[in-house]
Amino acid sequence: MASIQELTDLGTALAAALGADVLDHSVSPTAELTLTVRRESVVRVLTHLRDAADALFEQLTDICGADYPTRPE
C-alpha cells in the first residue's frame, strides 16, 4: 500500500500531467487518492490513469457525481 506522501506526490504529478482536466486532488487520512476532474474530461483522465507509464492503474474503485439544480452549470 502506498503511503500518504507517495499518493500526494502522485496526485501532484497527475494534476501536472493532465493540466486543466484535474480541478483538485487530495489524499484522505486513510490513504485514498481523490481526483476531482472536469466532467467532459472523465474518459481522458481514466485513459491516462490506465495507460500512462507513471500511473498504470488496474482497477477503478469509485466514480461519483453531484447535481446542484439551483446552481448554474
Side-chain angles (χ1 to χ4, degrees), residues 24-67:
D24 190 25
H25 61 91
S26 63
V27 178
S28 73
T30 57
E32 294 178 341
L33 173 61
T34 298
L35 298 176
T36 303
V37 304
R38 296 169 124 17
R39 69 174 173 209
E40 60 271 8
S41 303
V42 170
V43 172
R44 180 171 181 258
V45 170
L46 291 176
T47 301
H48 180 88
L49 292 174
R50 183 192 65 199
D51 296 344
D54 63 343
L56 299 176
F57 282 67
E58 296 180 357
Q59 179 178 334
L60 173 64
T61 302
D62 197 7
I63 189 166
C64 301
D67 182 25

Side-chain angles (χ1 to χ4, degrees), residues 14-23 44:
L14 290 170
L18 292 163
D21 292 333
V22 175
L23 301 173
R44 180 171 181 258

